[in-house]
Amino acid sequence: MKHFPIFMAVEGRRIVLSGGGDAALAKLRLLLKTEARLTVVAQNAAPEIHAWAAEGVLTLIPRAMEPGDAMCARLFYAANEDEAEDARVASLAHADGALVNIVDNLGDSQFITPAIVDRDPVTVAIGTEGAAPVLARAIKKDLEEKLPPTLGLLARVGKAFRTRVEALPFGVKRRDFWSDYYFKAGPAVTGEAEAQTALEDLLGQHLAAPEKEGRVDLVGAGPGDPELLTLKARKALDTADVIIYDRLVAPEILELARREATLLSAGKEGFGPSVTQDAINEMIVSHARGGAYVVRLKSGDPTVFGRLDEEIEACEASGVAWRIIPGITSASAAVAILGQSLTKRGRNSGVRFITGHDTKGFADHDWRALAQPGEVAAIYMGKKSARFLQGRLLMHGADPATPVTVIENASRPTQQILSTTLAELEPALQNAGFDGPALTFLGLAPRAALAAAEDFEQKEAAS
């Protein structure tokens, strides 16, 4: 992000514009929406600018710009449609200490003016850093159609009512009140008096309402790609009061949480420092008991190696309502990346989801069954236990040439695929140097076309 978006206070402050033609008019139509003191410096100003000056909505200085004209100005626009003159007046404005925008000259401007959707006091600013003005206008048009014309009225009346709402406890109860106003009671009003009445009635209802009971959603965040979130998971992130997330949840997914939500890390790492499960259970229950809507966000699907039952039992023991919102488990995402299926007629009629380690260390399994030809297994948390898994399988008769594929950071931009054999698994994995979450497939290799593409990409990167 090369331009940081802010909303600048300009009420009563000077904004100066140099220019009197079409470019100047376009900027002034926007600037006239503000409560700034506007000054236009132009030797040949358009009739509209003269009319605005006569009405007293701006000050017109009918000459070329001179030193000091931009003194004490918050913002300055160079809109002369002449490269040399714009450079000259911009230099003068810089000397006067103003922030300078040169129309249609992104490189020499200190700030840019975004496309704006105006529902005063609700303002939506859309910027593309000059890369795609057409796209910004399309987004503006879409938002204009979606945001009701009464939104500004609702916001103005609501702002004046904020001190009254302090009668409600800070946090969830106030947020619920404003949510009901803006999205339920408010949109039906047609005028200021009706909006005021709606607020009074709504406040009375919320003050009389019994304490809200908290609840918990145990949500699958999927393998990492935000586009693989379910619609129900996305809605949960939009409305949660508290989000307790695992270490493997992608930062891009946490960005989808609403800004007012409390985000708490419950990081767990195999063979490393972790938040204990008891501590996680306590976090979930204590926030829910306080009336919060808690989202327990787990990477992949919460029902697959997510210690889900322990958290459900903690909720039930405390009388906290809960539900499960499933996610796409890593095995489903990773096998799709390989261009394979987990089951295939004539190859395997079943698939095993196993873990490389559990709370006691390396996990034991039915190695003899896994070692049979044609068996397919998706091994979670198998990276650090690769040597153990390899040894057990070979000891029980597995073919050393059995294909094995390890996928790191499946579905994320940083994903990597290692295609090897059971005999070479441990040294190949060591050489690959994977340091992210990885899933291992026993009995599956990438389709030939995908493997060839991967080799080509690696060669291109090396050269």
Side-chain angles (χ1 to χ4, degrees):
M1 185 163 47
K2 294 181 180 178
H3 293 81
F4 182 70
I6 61 170
F7 286 87
M8 179 179 286
V10 296
E11 180 185 5
R13 305 301 297 268
R14 290 191 79 209
I15 296 178
V16 178
L17 181 144
S18 173
D22 290 340
L25 285 170
K27 289 298 178 191
L28 285 170
R29 289 188 187 101
L30 180 61
L31 294 172
L32 284 168
K33 292 176 178 286
T34 73
E35 297 179 30
R37 292 166 47 218
L38 300 179
T39 299
V40 177
V41 185
Q43 208 157 14
N44 298 301
E48 293 94 331
I49 297 175
H50 281 281
W52 287 328
E55 293 170 12
V57 296
L58 58 77
T59 300
L60 174 61
I61 302 176
R63 57 166 171 77
M65 185 164 166
E66 297 176 358
D69 282 344
M71 192 69 69
C72 298
R74 269 282 168 98
L75 303 174
F76 176 82
Y77 287 90
N80 294 283
E81 301 174 69
D82 178 276
E83 188 174 336
E85 180 63 7
D86 280 341
R88 184 187 77 83
V89 301
S91 178
L92 293 175
H94 279 301
D96 286 341
L99 282 174
V100 173
N101 173 275
I102 304 175
V103 175
D104 292 333
N105 184 345
L106 180 68
D108 293 328
S109 294
Q110 290 178 295
F111 70 95
I112 58 178
T113 305
I116 290 175
V117 178
D118 183 13
R119 296 289 187 271
D120 185 36
V122 178
T123 306
V124 182
I126 307 146
T128 63
E129 299 195 333
V134 172
L135 178 60
R137 284 194 290 272
I139 296 170
K140 171 182 164 69
K141 179 177 181 294
D142 188 46
L143 289 173
E144 291 275 12
E145 293 170 355
K146 288 182 177 178
L147 296 178
T150 57
L151 187 61
L153 166 68
L154 294 177
R156 284 194 301 275
V157 176
K159 181 180 179 181
F161 200 77
R162 293 188 73 85
T163 54
R164 295 284 309 282
V165 182
E166 289 176 5
L168 292 170
F170 180 79
V172 176
K173 294 209 74 168
R174 286 192 203 174
R175 287 199 298 270
D176 286 347
F177 170 84
W178 289 117
S179 178
D180 282 352
Y181 170 63
Y182 282 112
F183 302 114
K184 294 179 181 177
V189 306
T190 56
E192 188 167 334
E194 194 174 344
Q196 185 72 31
T197 301
L199 280 167
E200 295 284 359
D201 292 346
L202 196 61
L203 180 59
Q205 293 169 22
H206 278 255
L207 286 171
E211 285 294 321
K212 181 181 175 182
E213 291 187 2
R215 60 190 176 94
V216 175
D217 277 350
L218 302 141
V219 180
D225 182 352
E227 293 188 355
L228 293 179
L229 277 173
T230 65
L231 292 175
K232 190 169 281 190
R234 183 69 179 87
K235 184 178 179 181
L237 290 173
D238 277 336
T239 53
D241 300 309
V242 177
I243 298 173
I244 302 171
Y245 64 93
D246 281 347
R247 178 180 64 90
L248 297 182
V249 173
E252 296 84 358
I253 289 175
L254 294 176
E255 281 293 317
L256 299 175
R258 66 187 184 89
R259 295 300 174 195
E260 298 86 356
T262 300
L263 271 62
L264 301 173
S265 173
K268 280 178 169 290
E269 186 170 355
F271 304 104
S274 299
V275 178
T276 67
Q277 187 61 51
D278 285 344
I280 294 171
N281 294 347
E282 175 58 29
M283 271 195 281
I284 295 169
V285 168
S286 63
H287 284 285
R289 276 179 166 173
Y293 169 31
V294 179
V295 162
R296 173 67 173 109
L297 194 61
K298 297 170 175 283
S299 177
D301 182 86
T303 67
V304 180
F305 302 121
R307 300 188 73 170
L308 179 68
D309 292 286
E310 295 169 62
E311 293 172 7
I312 290 174
E313 288 163 6
C315 290
E316 290 181 335
S318 302
V320 172
W322 59 271
R323 68 172 178 172
I324 300 169
I325 298 178
I328 294 177
T329 187
S330 299
S332 295
V335 79
I337 292 163
L338 299 183
Q340 293 279 15
S341 59
L342 287 169
T343 58
K344 182 180 179 182
R345 185 181 300 175
R347 184 192 67 197
N348 65 309
S349 58
V351 61
R352 297 171 188 256
F353 287 9
I354 66 174
T355 179
H357 65 82
D358 55 26
T359 56
K360 298 176 182 178
F362 294 139
D364 239 329
H365 301 285
D366 186 351
W367 302 112
R368 188 172 301 282
L370 284 167
Q372 297 304 307
E375 284 294 313
V376 172
I379 306 170
Y380 291 70
M381 297 169 281
K383 189 173 58 178
K384 291 180 179 178
S385 55
R387 188 171 183 177
F388 171 79
L389 294 165
Q390 179 189 44
R392 286 292 187 273
L393 287 165
L394 291 173
M395 184 189 305
H396 287 82
D399 184 347
T402 300
V404 176
T405 305
V406 184
I407 303 182
E408 180 190 44
N409 296 323
S411 85
R412 306 186 191 197
T414 53
Q415 79 178 22
Q416 296 188 75
I417 300 174
L418 170 66
S419 182
T420 184
T421 63
L422 182 59
E424 298 297 323
L425 172 59
E426 198 275 336
L429 195 52
Q430 287 293 328
N431 292 334
F434 287 176
D435 57 5
L439 190 134
T440 303
F441 283 112
L442 174 70
L444 288 182
R447 286 197 182 276
L450 293 176
E454 183 77 13
D455 289 342
F456 177 77
E457 290 174 8
Q458 290 176 353
K459 289 174 183 176
E460 284 287 294
S463 62

